[in-house]
Amino acid sequence: MSKNLDMHLLLQNSRAYAEGFLSEGEVSSYIPQLAAQNPTLLAVSIISPDGAYHNTGNHEEFFSIQSISKVISLIYALMTLGEKAVFNKVGMEPSGDPFNCFIKLETAGEKPFNPFINAGAITTTSLLANNITFDELLGFTCKIFGDNVAPCETVFAEEVAAGKRNRSMAYLMQSKGVLGDDVEKYLDYYFRLCAVLVNTKHLAHMGAVLASGGKSPTNGQEIVPPRIVSIVKAIMLTCGMYDGSGEFAVSIGLPAKSGIGGGIVACGGGYGIGTFGPALDAKGNSVGGIRILRHLSEKLELNLFA
């Protein structure tokens, strides 16, 4: 049996295992485009250390990256502005709260706890918006995904219409001196990046870049400096799965980032992994994606702590 067929069977088995848990989740109702998703969709793509792609399930299905965009904005902010500028404005500690909670903005200091809660991502995005155009940020996003991607205008418009809580966070942070004056511009960048459409193959490419220390899995060229990859993977491990990050680290042990669009990007052992399953658990993470990653982590021995 060939190595490729072994990997294909592994992915099929992981998907079959995860399908048994989809009924435990529900699609997000945040915006109509998310609410309309089919909760039975499930896919996984993986790029092996040798650069080979493997896919199974609905891997051609496009969905909005949502909070996976927070990894991209953090990487690019660190690359263009430096660690000091970024972490002077946003922390790097787990919050223990839901991703859209802003109670601690009032009670536990001025700056957001980390770049992967909504308040932290808006802050990171504001730093970028003050220094680059959105087209520059999108160009970098295309490099990370290894393909030309773009925001969905329908998703973007729905994000703007539904984004009252995010808008409240932004204006609260402006009042505390965390954000500058152009709040609507910062939110425009944030919502547009959340609305970028991808599939699991794009997420696997992103994961492979992180797994290889910042290099493209197709040509070996550096996309992200190794120091920044180390920072970002550490924050993904501790904060990337919202307030389920600790449990995910214990049970699966991979740096990962989820989005309420149903996607998860993960990396480990030289593998880049992308999953999609719009049925979410109570914390906003893909039920099927987590189960697929649990199966792959065990079978490929990827858990950092095992």
Side-chain angles (χ1 to χ4, degrees), residues 10-26:
L10 174 60
L11 294 187
Q12 286 185 319
N13 290 339
S14 69
R15 183 176 183 270
Y17 163 70
E19 281 182 320
F21 298 91
L22 295 183
S23 62
E24 298 177 5
E26 297 181 357

Side-chain angles (χ1 to χ4, degrees), residues 30 66 69 118-130 134 137 151 155-174 179-195:
Y30 172 62
Q66 298 295 326
S69 65
N118 288 12
I122 292 169
T123 302
T124 305
T125 304
S126 76
L127 298 175
L128 290 169
N130 285 333
F134 184 81
L137 178 57
V155 173
F156 169 68
E158 292 178 355
E159 295 272 4
V160 172
K164 297 178 180 64
R165 192 174 184 88
N166 288 319
R167 190 165 280 104
S168 297
M169 289 183 203
Y171 279 103
L172 174 60
M173 290 189 290
Q174 184 199 36
L179 298 188
D181 293 332
D182 206 347
V183 173
E184 293 301 323
K185 179 180 178 181
Y186 309 150
L187 290 167
D188 180 273
Y189 273 49
Y190 176 73
F191 291 139
R192 284 189 186 278
L193 197 57
C194 285

Side-chain angles (χ1 to χ4, degrees), residues 34-295:
L34 298 182
Q37 291 184 117
N38 181 349
T40 67
L41 295 175
L42 190 60
V44 56
S45 296
I46 190 167
I47 299 182
S48 303
D50 61 2
Y53 271 90
H54 311 272
N55 312 279
T56 195
N58 310 101
H59 57 273
E60 300 285 356
E61 186 82 17
F62 279 82
F63 53 92
S64 55
I65 58 173
Q66 298 295 326
S67 285
I68 296 172
S69 65
K70 297 169 182 177
V71 179
I72 297 167
S73 57
L74 176 59
I75 290 173
Y76 205 48
L78 290 169
M79 288 176 60
T80 56
L81 304 171
E83 294 177 44
K84 183 176 180 180
V86 173
F87 293 122
N88 275 346
K89 288 290 187 179
V90 62
M92 56 181 80
E93 302 296 337
S95 70
D97 292 321
F99 59 89
N100 60 354
C101 180
F102 58 95
I103 293 174
K104 286 181 179 176
L105 289 175
E106 287 276 32
T107 62
E110 294 184 349
K111 68 183 183 181
F113 267 60
N114 66 70
F116 293 161
I117 55 175
N118 288 12
I122 292 169
T123 302
T124 305
T125 304
S126 76
L127 298 175
L128 290 169
N130 285 333
N131 290 276
I132 65 167
T133 66
F134 184 81
D135 283 346
E136 290 177 88
L137 178 57
L138 184 60
F140 177 72
T141 302
C142 294
K143 289 183 180 180
I144 284 285
F145 288 134
D147 197 5
N148 290 325
V149 296
C152 171
E153 290 301 321
T154 300
V155 173
F156 169 68
E158 292 178 355
E159 295 272 4
V160 172
K164 297 178 180 64
R165 192 174 184 88
N166 288 319
R167 190 165 280 104
S168 297
M169 289 183 203
Y171 279 103
L172 174 60
M173 290 189 290
Q174 184 199 36
S175 74
K176 296 165 75 69
V178 177
L179 298 188
D181 293 332
D182 206 347
V183 173
E184 293 301 323
K185 179 180 178 181
Y186 309 150
L187 290 167
D188 180 273
Y189 273 49
Y190 176 73
F191 291 139
R192 284 189 186 278
L193 197 57
C194 285
V196 166
L197 297 182
V198 297
N199 57 37
T200 56
K201 293 186 290 184
H202 295 124
L203 295 186
H205 187 278
M206 179 182 182
V209 171
L210 297 173
S212 65
K215 296 179 180 178
S216 164
T218 56
N219 59 28
Q221 293 182 350
E222 183 177 280
I223 297 175
V224 184
R227 165 64 181 169
I228 292 176
V229 171
S230 296
I231 294 170
V232 170
K233 288 199 297 186
I235 298 176
M236 288 171 69
L237 182 67
T238 56
C239 308
M241 302 296 287
Y242 306 129
D243 48 328
S245 297
E247 181 181 353
F248 187 90
V250 170
S251 62
I252 297 172
L254 293 175
K257 183 71 193 83
S258 64
I260 61 170
I264 302 177
V265 59
C267 58
Y271 291 89
I273 309 170
T275 68
F276 172 57
L280 309 180
D281 63 21
K283 295 177 179 178
N285 298 314
S286 170
V287 171
I290 286 178
R291 295 294 178 170
I292 286 173
L293 290 169
R294 184 191 298 271
H295 190 266

